[in-house]
């Protein structure tokens, strides 16, 4: 399920929208793999490990229950992608919403929890238009991150935090 990227930078000499799409896909998988513990007030718990009821469950625990924790560079790329989602202006909020919905994937199956028809229903449009909005949003991100003005002196171009 996890998509390993070899580069920590967008290559502006190549197809930038395609790279943005790949980074968005990887970010969705990374987001799904982040641990969800420690986010709520802790209740009563034990330091003992969970009881294994069947020896067959031992091999399943690591692979089927949750994906492996993301590597630090994957989390850095996720942070970068989440910054990209903020580039949309007031008239482009539907783009941001579609991108955010597609960033939610099931941690085990890797399937998008928001398919195009569900997105279309929530946004009051056709599933083909929702897919087009996503494609247009990727193009907007690609154009904006390619501009040197997008980056400040503290955030150099092509840098992943």
């Amino acid at each position: 399920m996890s998509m390993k990227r070899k580069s920590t930078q967008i290559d502006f000499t190549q197809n930038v929208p395609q790279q943005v799409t790949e980074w968005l896909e990887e970010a969705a998988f990374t987001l799904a793999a982040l641990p969800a513990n420690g986010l709520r007030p802790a209740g009563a718990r034990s330091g003992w490990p969970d009881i294994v009821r069947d020896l067959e469950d031992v091999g399943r625990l690591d692979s089927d229950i949750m994906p492996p924790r993301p590597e630090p560079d994957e989390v850095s790329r996720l942070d970068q992608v989440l910054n990209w989602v903020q580039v949309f202006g007031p008239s482009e909020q539907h783009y941001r919403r579609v991108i955010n919905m597609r960033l939610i994937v099931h941690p085990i199956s890797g399937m998008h929890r928001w398919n195009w028809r569900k997105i279309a229903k929530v946004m009051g449009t056709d599933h083909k238009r929702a897919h087009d909005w996503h494609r247009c949003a990727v193009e907007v991100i690609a154009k904006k991150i390619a501009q040197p003005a997008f980056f400040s002196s503290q955030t150099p171009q092509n840098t992943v935090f």
Side-chain angles (χ1 to χ4, degrees):
M1 173 176 67
S2 181
M3 301 169 54
K4 298 291 183 186
R5 295 213 33 93
K6 293 180 178 138
S7 175
T8 59
Q9 300 176 357
I10 293 287
D11 182 359
F12 292 106
T13 63
Q14 301 296 318
N15 185 341
V16 178
Q18 179 183 351
Q19 293 177 75
V20 168
T21 301
E22 292 169 2
W23 280 51
L24 284 167
E25 285 294 318
E26 182 198 31
F29 293 128
T30 302
L31 196 58
L34 287 174
N37 58 355
L39 300 177
R40 297 171 206 86
R45 58 183 160 176
S46 169
W48 287 89
D50 292 336
I51 297 172
V52 177
R53 305 235 182 249
D54 191 357
L55 286 178
E56 292 178 8
D57 291 341
V58 174
R60 236 184 40 168
L61 291 177
D62 290 335
S63 62
D64 291 347
I65 302 251
M66 284 298 290
R69 286 182 181 235
E71 298 292 323
D73 61 327
E74 292 172 319
V75 175
S76 294
R77 286 190 295 273
L78 169 64
D79 288 340
Q80 184 67 32
V81 167
L82 294 177
N83 284 332
W84 292 349
V85 176
Q86 305 305 315
V87 303
F88 300 111
S91 64
E92 301 169 322
Q93 293 306 310
H94 57 290
Y95 291 161
R96 179 189 307 215
R97 196 165 178 200
V98 170
I99 292 287
N100 282 334
M101 286 183 198
R102 290 297 287 184
L103 282 174
I104 302 172
V105 298
H106 190 277
I108 297 171
S109 70
M111 296 195 54
H112 291 276
R113 292 195 178 207
W114 288 92
N115 63 36
W116 298 117
R117 292 189 188 277
K118 282 174 69 176
I119 292 172
K121 184 176 180 182
V122 167
M123 297 186 74
T125 189
D126 180 62
H127 70 279
K128 292 178 183 176
R129 175 174 256 179
H131 191 266
D132 287 342
W133 282 348
H134 187 272
R135 185 183 42 76
C136 290
V138 166
E139 291 174 7
V140 167
I141 291 171
K143 285 178 186 172
K144 290 189 178 184
I145 67 172
Q147 299 172 5
F150 180 76
F151 299 93
S152 70
S153 60
Q154 288 80 29
T155 310
Q157 192 168 358
N158 282 344
T159 299
V160 175
F161 304 99

